[in-house]
């Protein structure tokens, strides 16, 4: 997902970007070189929820291309925990390993404060934790930037986007928009026949009435 230009942002009713943190033209959506399957991951005691997410992220081509370049660690100035550095080391170890499987201990070691190891946890929760932590790492020293600029990290451009909430007055037709950045979208897949149908249901217009009504400022 490429970052939107300022003209496009203004047209959508959003504030223009103050800074571009990662140039969108540097993101390569296809594998930059032929990549054989890397090492598998040992289960270290109910860590399959970790392993499944790590494998999905390892084989997300635009993320792997960036991590394999080691560009982040070469410029990282964080003194303590950095999820981007941890994932960079993990992906390089997996894809360059000559053994059939490795133990993802570098990742497991940072989870003890957030997840109870030895107990089966939720894979989606771990995915959100990991992607959010990578986004924070990319924003190190830039967290005071506006929302549009924060969305120009490589993580947000790969995984994220903006949700526009639009309220239209049925009487005067006045339109009010608000925007919220996201790194994932929670869909109700039990009530839908496909992911496409679940997305369509997620953005389906809703008519507000009764106690749910808004007071129109117009």
């Amino acid at each position: 997902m490429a970052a939107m230009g300022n003209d496009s942002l203004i047209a959508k009713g959003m504030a223009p970007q103050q800074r571009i943190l990662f140039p969108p033209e540097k993101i390569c959506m296809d594998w930059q070189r032929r990549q054989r399957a890397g090492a598998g991951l040992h289960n270290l005691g109910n860590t399959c929820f970790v392993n499944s997410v790590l494998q999905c992220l390892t084989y997300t081509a635009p993320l792997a291309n960036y991590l394999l370049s080691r560009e982040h660690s070469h410029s990282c100035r964080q003194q303590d925990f950095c999820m981007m550095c941890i994932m960079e080391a993990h992906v390089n170890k997996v894809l360059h390993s000559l053994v059939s499987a490795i133990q993802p201990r570098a990742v497991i070691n940072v989870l003890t404060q957030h997840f109870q190891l030895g107990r089966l946890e939720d894979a989606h929760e771990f995915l959100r934790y990991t992607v959010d932590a990578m986004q924070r790492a990319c924003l190190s020293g830039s967290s005071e930037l506006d929302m549009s600029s924060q969305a120009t990290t490589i993580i947000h451009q790969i995984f994220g986007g903006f949700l526009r909430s639009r309220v239209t007055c049925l009487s005067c037709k006045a339109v009010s928009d608000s925007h919220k950045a996201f790194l994932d979208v929670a869909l109700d897949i039990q009530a839908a026949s496909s992911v496409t149908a679940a997305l369509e249901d997620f953005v389906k217009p809703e008519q507000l009435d009764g106690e749910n009504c808004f007071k129109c400022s117009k």
Side-chain angles (χ1 to χ4, degrees), residues 88-159:
E88 180 183 292
H90 174 80
V91 169
N92 275 276
K93 185 176 182 179
V94 167
L95 296 181
H96 292 151
S97 178
L98 298 178
V99 300
S100 61
I102 65 169
Q103 296 184 358
R105 291 205 174 274
V107 178
I108 296 297
N109 289 341
V110 305
L111 297 180
T112 53
Q113 297 179 1
H114 306 277
F115 296 88
Q116 186 174 337
L117 297 182
R119 188 180 72 183
L120 190 60
E121 297 275 6
D122 183 71
H124 177 240
E125 184 179 353
F126 173 62
L127 174 65
R128 289 200 58 172
Y129 164 79
T130 304
V131 174
D132 286 346
M134 288 193 294
Q135 171 72 353
R136 289 195 300 273
C138 292
L139 287 173
S140 177
S142 306
S143 58
E144 300 302 316
L145 285 175
D146 61 287
M147 180 176 65
S148 297
S149 297
Q150 291 187 32
T152 64
T153 66
I154 187 169
I155 294 300
H156 198 280
Q157 291 184 72
I158 293 173
F159 295 101

Side-chain angles (χ1 to χ4, degrees), residues 22-197:
F22 191 87
E25 61 272 13
K26 288 182 61 178
I27 300 176
C28 185
M29 299 301 293
D30 298 317
W31 290 97
Q32 289 184 304
R33 60 177 179 270
R34 187 180 294 273
Q35 193 74 50
R36 66 177 179 82
L41 303 177
H42 286 292
N43 192 323
L44 302 180
N46 281 338
T47 58
C48 53
F49 75 98
V50 174
N51 291 355
S52 59
V53 170
L54 289 178
Q55 292 291 61
C56 287
L57 293 174
T58 298
Y59 295 98
T60 299
L63 176 64
N65 287 330
Y66 177 70
L67 296 178
L68 287 169
S69 74
R70 298 188 183 272
E71 181 177 335
H72 177 81
S73 60
H74 289 159
S75 59
C76 182
R77 297 292 179 266
Q78 297 190 72
Q79 300 299 316
D80 46 11
F81 166 70
C82 174
M83 197 68 196
M84 284 295 285
C85 287
I86 290 171
M87 284 300 300
E88 180 183 292
H90 174 80
V91 169
N92 275 276
K93 185 176 182 179
V94 167
L95 296 181
H96 292 151
S97 178
L98 298 178
V99 300
S100 61
I102 65 169
Q103 296 184 358
R105 291 205 174 274
V107 178
I108 296 297
N109 289 341
V110 305
L111 297 180
T112 53
Q113 297 179 1
H114 306 277
F115 296 88
Q116 186 174 337
L117 297 182
R119 188 180 72 183
L120 190 60
E121 297 275 6
D122 183 71
H124 177 240
E125 184 179 353
F126 173 62
L127 174 65
R128 289 200 58 172
Y129 164 79
T130 304
V131 174
D132 286 346
M134 288 193 294
Q135 171 72 353
R136 289 195 300 273
C138 292
L139 287 173
S140 177
S142 306
S143 58
E144 300 302 316
L145 285 175
D146 61 287
M147 180 176 65
S148 297
S149 297
Q150 291 187 32
T152 64
T153 66
I154 187 169
I155 294 300
H156 198 280
Q157 291 184 72
I158 293 173
F159 295 101
F162 288 94
L163 290 174
R164 183 189 69 186
S165 177
R166 167 166 290 183
V167 179
T168 303
C169 178
L170 297 179
S171 298
C172 71
K173 307 304 179 184
V175 173
S176 174
D177 286 346
S178 61
H179 297 85
K180 182 179 180 181
F182 70 85
L183 286 170
D184 76 330
V185 177
L187 301 179
D188 184 357
I189 59 174
Q190 290 185 325
S193 58
S194 66
V195 173
T196 300

